[in-house]
Amino acid sequence: MDDFLIKFFPAVHERKLHAKEDNYCKYDNQFLQLFTSSLYLAALVSSFAASKVCTKFGRKPTILVASTFFLAGAALSAAAQNIWMIIIARILLGIGVGFGNEAVPLFLSEIAPVQHRGAVNILFQLFVTIGIFFANLVNYGTSKLHPNGWRVSLGLAGVPASFLFIGSLIITETPSSLIEHGKDSKGLKTLKKIRGVEDVEAEFEQIKLASDIAHQVKHPFKELMKRSSMPPLIIGILLQVFQQFTGINAIMFYAPVLFQTVGFKSDASLLSSVITGIVNVASTLVSVYAVDKVGRRVLLLQACVQMFISQIAIGVILLLNLNATNLLTRSEAIVVVFLVCLFVMAFAWSWGPLGWLIPSETFPLETRTAGFAFAVSSNMFFTFLIAQAFLSMMCHMRAYIFIFFAGWILVMFLFTIFLLPETKNVPIDVMVERVWKQHPVWKKFMD
């Protein structure tokens, strides 16, 4: 929004108004990128603290801590008077993201029945996409409120934060966490409650056995460095790296910038972002339906093909038709928006939700919070990297940036074929026996 740029990034606003601005470089500003990326740097660091809180106090208190930081970050964002206030607010939000992303996927994986674990866990990503959609609607609506529309936009982040805060007081702790903390009878009672049946002895004993093994491990991060812990750790980290190197955050963070670059005016570019938000939500619903039916690998492989074609096509169109100062024709710009939607669609039913689901279900209980912390921090580090670098990359690489991401998608396709096991319908606490010890590559790592 211009009002936001005038207050915090006047140099960017001046460049944006310049008559001969370079289409690919109008937003290339390290402070503007730091505004976006500081959140993810804070999330990276805080995810390790969140792992300790998650193990020591449980999943429920960790979610409560996350919501508190979200509320503080939203309030400071709305009240910000200078660039450093707004970056500190982003850091507070980032700590919330670190705690939330650590606890929520684990919470969902641990309470879900095995046959619905994928669908339940993907509800996390579904509500992330709904959040993105609402954020785009809010931005579109508040862009016309001068001069403080941006304050309303950033302050409204307090609404979902309030829902999370209230919800964290109402939800039950997971049976795995209760049993891990020696509250066996409460764990059994909770398990009966969330399953809706009395006969849960087999699952209770499975969790109890996993908990007994976990108690023998005094230093989970040290345990995580052992050879037998490598398969889920490597998979968990690589999934996060690949999730970011699809180019999704480059497209979702900067969709308004991207659409302005190809010739849409300011309001039209925000509206185009709303369209991609709708596609994002609808496609995540496809994943909720399909993940426990067709499996994880099928969704990931199909999406690689669709994303690869989309990125190559966007790159070629911009390469041939968009130089430093011209605009695409209306029909060319519409084709780019369509291709972006095709890309977002594939990501939303695959690498988006499954990047969180698979690491949350593949670690044994003794290294689950520590291993997932590595996954979360890897995600945040590479999100930070892309957020901090994308606008500069777009300025220097121009249309080739889309070819760059397409190359990574090809690597992801090969990774999925050769290294990623299927985890559909495998109980979370027998993953080692049924998945890692059976896989042609990873079985060599197991004791």
Side-chain angles (χ1 to χ4, degrees):
M1 298 179 193
D2 283 350
D3 293 324
F4 179 78
L5 291 176
I6 289 164
K7 185 163 183 67
F8 297 107
F9 305 101
V12 177
H13 185 254
E14 280 301 313
R15 195 184 311 157
K16 183 182 171 185
L17 295 176
H18 199 269
K20 294 287 184 185
E21 66 188 354
D22 186 324
N23 273 322
Y24 291 100
C25 297
K26 66 174 91 172
Y27 291 95
D28 180 19
N29 180 282
Q30 286 300 311
F31 276 109
L32 182 59
Q33 290 171 148
L34 183 63
F35 163 69
T36 301
S37 63
S38 56
L39 186 153
Y40 298 93
L41 201 55
L44 187 165
V45 176
S46 65
S47 60
F48 289 101
S51 166
K52 295 281 188 187
V53 174
C54 222
T55 301
K56 192 170 176 59
F57 300 103
R59 289 34 165 169
K60 179 178 173 172
T62 312
I63 297 170
L64 179 64
V65 172
S67 64
T68 306
F69 276 106
F70 282 134
L71 285 167
L76 189 58
S77 293
Q81 295 299 324
N82 57 54
I83 183 69
W84 294 110
M85 278 182 77
I86 207 145
I87 286 173
I88 290 166
R90 295 287 288 180
I91 290 168
L92 291 173
L93 289 169
I95 296 169
V97 169
F99 275 77
N101 281 11
E102 171 71 19
V104 175
L106 290 179
F107 177 88
L108 293 172
S109 284
E110 289 179 351
I111 64 163
V114 63
Q115 70 273 24
H116 301 304
R117 188 176 65 237
V120 170
N121 195 285
I122 287 171
L123 292 175
F124 170 71
Q125 182 69 14
L126 174 66
F127 280 91
V128 169
T129 62
I130 290 170
I132 292 168
F133 173 58
F134 275 110
N136 287 331
L137 282 180
V138 165
N139 283 343
Y140 184 64
T142 56
S143 64
K144 296 173 179 61
L145 299 177
H146 301 291
N148 290 315
W150 63 269
R151 290 192 189 277
V152 178
S153 175
L154 294 176
L156 282 173
V159 175
S162 300
F163 280 124
L164 189 67
F165 181 82
I166 295 163
S168 67
L169 299 174
I170 294 168
I171 57 171
T172 182
E173 186 56 89
T174 71
S176 293
S177 184
L178 289 168
I179 293 164
E180 195 180 3
H181 287 95
K183 300 175 182 175
D184 290 13
S185 58
K186 194 172 180 183
L188 179 60
K189 186 180 174 185
T190 302
L191 193 59
K192 287 177 180 177
K193 183 182 176 184
I194 62 175
R195 294 290 176 262
V197 293
E198 287 296 311
D199 184 18
V200 293
E201 284 302 319
E203 187 178 359
F204 177 76
E205 289 303 324
Q206 211 173 68
I207 297 170
K208 188 85 173 70
L209 178 63
S211 177
D212 291 341
I213 295 168
H215 278 133
Q216 294 168 25
V217 176
K218 301 300 178 192
H219 304 287
F221 283 98
K222 192 176 176 181
E223 183 73 15
L224 205 54
M225 296 301 114
K226 288 186 177 177
R227 183 178 170 83
S228 59
S229 298
M230 284 297 116
L233 182 63
I234 291 168
I235 292 286
I237 290 173
L238 283 180
L239 279 168
Q240 307 308 317
V241 174
F242 291 146
Q243 189 192 72
Q244 298 314 310
F245 276 88
T246 58
I248 184 63
N249 276 333
I251 282 175
M252 294 306 285
F253 285 169
Y254 300 110
V257 176
L258 187 64
F259 293 138
Q260 283 184 32
T261 295
V262 300
F264 285 83
K265 294 289 183 279
S266 184
D267 278 0
S269 70
L270 283 169
L271 188 58
S272 302
S273 302
V274 171
I275 293 165
T276 59
I278 294 169
V279 170
N280 203 7
V281 174
S283 303
T284 307
L285 285 169
V286 172
S287 189
V288 172
Y289 174 78
V291 68
D292 291 315
K293 290 182 170 61
V294 303
R296 284 65 162 150
R297 279 166 52 91
V298 170
L299 286 174
L300 292 171
L301 290 169
Q302 182 281 329
C304 280
V305 175
Q306 190 169 322
M307 289 190 298
F308 181 82
I309 293 168
S310 304
Q311 291 278 36
I312 291 287
I314 293 170
V316 169
I317 289 170
L318 297 190
L319 205 58
L320 296 177
N321 300 297
L322 187 73
N323 59 36
T325 55
N326 76 321
L327 294 176
L328 293 183
T329 65
R330 183 165 179 78
S331 58
E332 287 166 348
I334 288 168
V335 170
V336 170
V337 172
F338 173 75
L339 288 167
V340 167
C341 288
L342 208 60
F343 173 86
V344 170
M345 191 185 297
F347 178 87
W349 64 50
S350 62
W351 291 86
L354 299 184
W356 295 110
L357 167 62
I358 294 170
S360 75
E361 65 184 4
T362 48
F363 287 100
L365 185 59
E366 63 268 24
T367 57
R368 193 170 296 157
T369 60
F372 199 66
F374 269 96
V376 172
S377 61
S378 301
N379 185 289
M380 294 305 135
F381 176 72
F382 284 96
T383 305
F384 162 75
L385 207 63
I386 294 292
Q388 188 63 26
F390 174 70
L391 293 175
S392 300
M393 285 169 73
M394 190 162 80
C395 181
H396 294 97
M397 295 173 73
R398 300 180 177 265
Y400 287 106
I401 191 168
F402 297 98
I403 313 296
F404 167 80
F405 287 126
W408 277 98
I409 292 167
L410 191 58
V411 173
M412 290 156 50
F413 184 82
L414 297 171
F415 159 80
T416 305
I417 287 178
F418 295 110
L419 293 176
L420 193 70
E422 182 55 72
T423 52
K424 180 184 78 166
N425 289 338
V426 181
I428 194 169
D429 290 309
V430 295
M431 205 64 71
V432 172
E433 297 298 324
R434 294 201 199 168
V435 172
W436 304 116
K437 288 187 177 179
Q438 310 299 325
H439 192 272
V441 175
W442 300 119
K443 67 182 179 183
K444 297 167 189 171
F445 285 76
M446 306 312 293
D447 296 330

